[in-house]
Amino acid sequence: MDSLYDLRDNKYMATLLLVTSAFLHALWNALAKKNKNIEINLMGIMAAASFFGLAAIPFFPGEAFPHGLSFWWALAAGLFEAGYMITLVHALKETSLGLSYTIMRGGAMVIVWFISIPFLNEPIHIKSVFGILLVLGGLILSNIRLDGKLNLKQVRWSYLCALFIAGYHLSYGRALDMHAQSASLFAFSLIIGIPLFFYFSGREKIIELKNVMKTAPSIIIIGGAFCAASFIIFLIGLKHSGAGYAITLRNTSIIIAQIFSLIIGEKLSRQQIAGAAIVFLGAALMTF
């Protein structure tokens, strides 16, 4: 593992890790959306991801939370993760994967960018300013219906989900700044978030999940593996890049999500496709 940590000091390696994380993240979201049991799929995937996260801890050197504040930031990340899971279910139910993913990730990018600059001392460049304006324009275009009106009611959960995504990104970043171990940080946050998610989902959903695990567990197990890998790889990349850079680069998964949306049979409007493309261009401009 020492060689891996040496490679992480290279900005290009951090970029590669973040892009890999983006692909895996879009993939497990598509698996959760694959059929009508979105909530059951997501409950199972996140539970499985926590087990994979725990299994990965021995492969990462160092103490889990060497500083007291890193533990509290991990706790905050877990609470934001709970909010993310709860709102993600509603977001995926309300609209297509392509549209919800664009809003969730693009919206989180805007929130993190505005917080990172004044409070986390990340540098600001003219390219970043143009990039964030493109992202905002892409989000607006994605919400325009065929009749020219804004479609805000259908995507309200996606925007709320974006807020929780921004929250756990920033919390993860602060915990890593205090030398929290990546795998432990991810596993602990899920251990905090999943019970809250299950509580709000209700007992009937938990029983239904048990039945699915007995009859058709493959999507949940595979999705959990991809979910854990995407988050842990992301945290490794985040440790050696700023929060704004990391979430921006990872959000190139927006384009990947559009492809997966078509693969699972969803229809995308021209506005949605154009909006996603503009958000992607804005993210690329902010990154590079």
Side-chain angles (χ1 to χ4, degrees):
M1 292 300 298
D2 290 339
S3 60
L4 172 61
Y5 276 73
D6 291 340
L7 287 172
R8 280 163 48 194
D9 292 330
N10 188 310
K11 193 65 172 285
Y12 292 104
M13 179 55 64
T15 300
L16 177 60
L17 290 170
L18 291 168
V19 171
T20 302
S21 170
F23 175 82
L24 293 173
H25 193 277
L27 180 56
W28 79 257
N29 271 248
L31 290 174
K33 177 75 171 176
K34 194 176 186 303
N35 54 45
K36 294 181 180 180
N37 291 327
I38 296 174
E39 189 166 5
I40 303 302
N41 284 346
L42 189 58
M43 289 171 66
I45 286 172
M46 299 308 292
S50 67
F51 284 105
F52 284 114
L54 288 170
I57 291 176
F59 298 95
F60 287 77
E63 187 180 347
F65 303 108
H67 300 288
L69 279 178
S70 64
F71 171 83
W72 293 108
W73 279 112
L75 178 62
L79 296 176
F80 280 117
E81 284 277 15
Y84 164 64
M85 298 175 206
I86 294 168
T87 54
L88 178 60
V89 169
H90 294 285
L92 293 178
K93 284 182 178 179
E94 281 189 339
T95 187
S96 67
L97 171 67
L99 178 57
S100 60
Y101 202 95
T102 298
I103 294 171
M104 290 185 295
R105 311 311 300 187
M109 189 189 318
V110 173
I111 296 170
V112 169
W113 189 82
F114 276 107
I115 292 177
S116 295
I117 290 174
F119 296 108
L120 302 181
N121 298 319
E122 290 204 20
I124 184 172
H125 304 287
I126 190 65
K127 289 183 179 180
S128 299
V129 175
F130 282 116
I132 206 68
L133 290 176
L134 279 176
V135 171
L136 289 170
L139 290 175
I140 294 173
L141 182 59
S142 297
N143 292 329
I144 296 178
R145 301 185 309 199
L146 293 176
D147 59 6
K149 296 181 180 179
L150 287 176
N151 182 26
L152 294 178
K153 186 176 181 179
Q154 187 181 8
V155 295
R156 55 189 174 178
W157 284 103
S158 297
Y159 279 108
L160 184 57
C161 189
L163 181 63
F164 286 109
I165 292 172
Y168 76 63
H169 272 278
L170 291 168
S171 298
Y172 280 143
R174 298 305 295 161
L176 290 170
D177 287 343
M178 297 171 186
H179 308 292
Q181 185 207 72
S182 300
S184 296
L185 174 59
F186 170 70
F188 177 76
S189 68
L190 288 193
I191 290 172
I192 296 298
I194 287 175
L196 293 172
F197 179 35
F198 276 38
Y199 174 78
F200 282 101
S201 296
R203 185 176 180 181
E204 292 182 358
K205 295 294 183 182
I206 297 175
I207 295 173
E208 190 175 347
L209 173 60
K210 291 180 179 178
N211 294 330
V212 171
M213 287 302 296
K214 292 178 181 178
T215 57
S218 57
I219 288 181
I220 288 174
I221 295 174
I222 295 171
F226 287 150
C227 177
S230 71
F231 273 98
I232 293 174
I233 292 172
F234 166 72
L235 291 177
I236 295 172
L238 176 62
K239 186 175 180 66
H240 289 268
S241 63
Y245 179 88
I247 192 174
T248 300
L249 187 57
R250 195 189 190 200
N251 281 344
T252 54
S253 59
I254 289 170
I255 293 298
I256 302 171
Q258 310 310 308
I259 298 172
F260 284 138
S261 183
L262 293 173
I263 290 174
I264 63 177
E266 295 180 339
K267 294 182 179 180
L268 302 179
S269 68
R270 293 180 179 179
Q271 290 93 328
Q272 292 175 26
I273 296 173
I278 293 173
V279 171
F280 170 77
L281 289 175
L285 186 60
M286 292 170 67
T287 303
F288 299 109

